[in-house]
Amino acid sequence: MPAQPVRTPTSVVVPAHDESQVIDRCLTALLARSEPGEFDVVVVANGCSDDTAARAAAHGPDVRVLDLPAAGKTGALNAGDAAATGFPRIYLDADVELSTEAARAMARELRAGPALVAGARPVPDLTGCSRWVRWYYDVWLALPVLNDRYVGSGVFAVSEAGHRRLAPFPPVVADDLYARRVFDPAERVTTEPGFTLHPSRRLPALVDRLVRVRAGNVQLESAQLPIDAAEAPRGARGLLATPGVPAQKKLLFLALSVVVRAGAWVKARRGRTAVWNRDESSRSAA
């Protein structure tokens, strides 16, 4: 019987800054049905003042922890990259849930090719969210960009060839948008099953989060980076191409788009597009 080829583990890089409320949820979902040695998980605790590192280390031998003194997602991503050993390589935010099956699907698609970068379908957990937040996500999920080989919202993966184009990560806040824009649409793939996204629970927190996202996108657009400009329309432009959404939900989405653009403009004027003050409402719900 011919020898089976030795397959390196799929590496998973998890940057984590003061994520003790959610790191167990993240790692439990990822490793729940995994085989020993299937994943090489590198949790990069950066600038933590809580027990994120200790909680992550308690998840077993497939999880390694780097404890960096300084906070910063770009530094954490690049440090995790330097420590990771396998491909495909998944980058996973600590506040989302990617199941074992979803991680396997991303890795399997990238091993088969020809895609160089993979995302998964975001599935918002709207438990406890206000009506306005639920309305916003009803529209967001119907936007063309979510059905255009979507990569982002806290989860993406690259093949070894894709990694050579992606890394090292530049000092931008919108790292997942950067990952999507580095690759042509034909080089991207969205896999199933999806992953669980935990939105802000109330409208003011959602607006704050959207302003941060928009400001990060503005920062990326102004950076001198070799990124592809072709992309399905997002935001208000994408709304025009979205059929079957009730008018009142579209009006809310449009109103929020105006508020978010104004807030991002203010952040840009103050030189704060690189500042990422995270949402706490979804974390406290954990």
Side-chain angles (χ1 to χ4, degrees):
M1 185 175 182
Q4 295 297 313
V6 176
R7 176 167 289 176
T8 59
T10 299
S11 281
V12 185
V13 176
V14 186
H17 170 67
D18 284 347
E19 297 288 17
S20 64
Q21 290 177 296
V22 296
I23 192 66
D24 290 324
R25 182 180 69 186
C26 173
L27 296 177
T28 298
L30 176 67
L31 298 172
R33 295 177 177 82
S34 66
E35 300 293 333
E38 180 178 2
F39 295 108
D40 163 46
V41 184
V42 182
V43 176
V44 189
N46 57 100
C48 291
S49 59
D50 62 10
D51 61 346
T52 295
R55 284 179 174 272
H59 281 265
D62 288 341
V63 178
R64 294 182 287 139
V65 179
L66 304 182
D67 200 349
L68 305 185
K73 191 173 184 182
T74 299
L77 287 169
N78 287 326
D81 244 355
T85 59
F87 289 100
R89 189 162 298 173
I90 299 173
Y91 301 91
L92 175 63
D93 284 1
D95 63 332
V96 300
E97 293 178 71
L98 182 73
S99 69
T100 307
E101 293 80 2
R104 282 174 179 161
M106 297 173 78
R108 184 168 55 247
E109 192 73 33
L110 290 172
R111 285 191 176 106
L116 300 179
V117 63
R121 178 176 51 86
V123 181
D125 179 0
L126 299 172
T127 305
C129 291
S130 71
R131 176 200 305 177
W132 314 115
V133 173
R134 294 196 305 271
W135 280 17
Y136 172 85
Y137 278 96
D138 285 346
V139 179
W140 184 73
L141 290 170
L143 292 176
V145 69
L146 267 294
N147 299 291
D148 182 38
R149 305 187 185 196
Y150 184 70
V151 171
S153 296
V155 178
F156 61 90
V158 291
S159 66
E160 188 169 6
H163 182 263
R164 287 194 291 269
R165 190 186 306 177
L166 181 74
F169 286 89
V172 296
V173 170
D175 55 281
D176 48 3
L177 179 60
Y178 165 72
R180 184 161 77 243
R181 298 286 296 279
V182 163
F183 301 95
D184 295 328
E187 298 173 321
R188 304 193 307 248
V189 66
T190 303
T191 62
E192 293 283 354
F195 68 95
T196 303
L197 182 70
H198 294 276
S200 305
R201 291 315 193 232
R202 297 291 178 266
L203 187 60
L206 174 63
V207 171
D208 286 345
R209 171 181 272 185
L210 295 176
V211 168
R212 292 193 299 271
V213 171
R214 175 65 184 171
N217 293 351
V218 169
Q219 179 205 26
L220 178 64
E221 298 291 355
S222 62
Q224 299 298 313
L225 296 172
I227 56 178
D228 173 51
E231 188 174 37
R234 295 172 285 152
R237 290 187 300 117
L239 189 60
L240 298 176
T242 305
V245 177
Q248 66 269 33
K249 296 182 181 182
K250 284 189 175 184
L251 286 173
L252 171 70
F253 192 92
L254 285 170
L256 287 179
S257 296
V258 172
V259 172
V260 166
R261 284 179 177 273
W265 180 84
V266 171
K267 285 195 82 170
R269 290 279 292 180
R270 294 176 177 175
R272 294 179 60 82
T273 56
V275 177
W276 185 265
N277 299 317
R278 68 184 184 180
D279 169 56
E280 296 292 349
S281 68
S282 60
R283 287 171 170 81
S284 62

